[in-house]
Amino acid sequence: MTQRPAAEGDIPVIELVHPMPGFPDDGRFALVQLDDDGMLHGFRSLDSDGLQFVVIPPAPFFPDYAPELADDVAGELGLSDGNAGDVIVLLVVRAGATLAETTVNLRAPLVINTATRRASQVVLDDADLSITAPLVA
């Protein structure tokens, strides 16, 4: 399996504005491309050995997905209407025993400001977004 920095934005080190739930000591991560197609990435902790979340871009799997960030979240990440192109949204994958059992969390995407390299796993207010959406139907 190929592992190299993500081609999209080439983000070597990302700092979280808030730790991910359950991982209070991990604030620095690297985004690493895991496949040759650029679909699978590892969000790898630089503070703990072996901690990695598999993440994917939503568009190929959920083309209508358009999360709306609260103003305070956008402010923490340094995002505004003027730099909306600096944002990458990724979905955290929960690997199942099979691809059919694999799910993603639509309710809490990982949002990265590529200009500042600040990120947060944002819990959205939209209760209709599943935390266990099947990756494939």
Side-chain angles (χ1 to χ4, degrees):
M1 180 173 285
T2 303
Q3 296 188 356
R4 58 182 178 261
E8 188 175 344
D10 284 331
I11 304 169
V13 177
I14 300 164
E15 295 200 24
L16 295 178
V17 294
H18 303 286
M20 295 179 79
F23 303 95
D25 297 328
D26 294 282
R28 298 178 316 119
F29 285 80
L31 192 62
V32 179
Q33 186 173 331
L34 299 177
D35 67 352
D36 291 333
D37 297 327
M39 288 290 180
L40 291 175
H41 293 83
F43 193 61
R44 185 174 299 163
S45 174
L46 299 176
D47 298 317
S48 296
D49 289 338
L51 177 62
Q52 175 175 272
F53 300 91
V54 174
V55 294
I56 61 168
F61 304 95
F62 305 94
D64 296 330
Y65 184 70
E68 291 188 27
L69 298 180
D71 290 343
D72 61 328
V73 173
E76 287 179 338
L77 295 174
L79 296 170
S80 66
D81 290 338
N83 65 355
D86 293 336
V87 67
I88 293 175
V89 176
L90 297 168
L91 301 175
V92 178
V93 175
R94 187 189 67 75
T98 66
L99 185 58
E101 296 174 356
T102 298
T103 62
V104 295
N105 187 340
L106 297 174
R107 183 101 184 252
L110 182 64
V111 180
I112 303 169
N113 180 334
T114 60
T116 63
R117 297 182 180 160
R118 294 173 55 96
S120 183
Q121 185 176 23
V122 178
V123 179
L124 302 171
D125 287 335
D126 188 343
D128 292 334
L129 294 172
S130 175
I131 62 170
T132 56
L135 183 58
V136 294

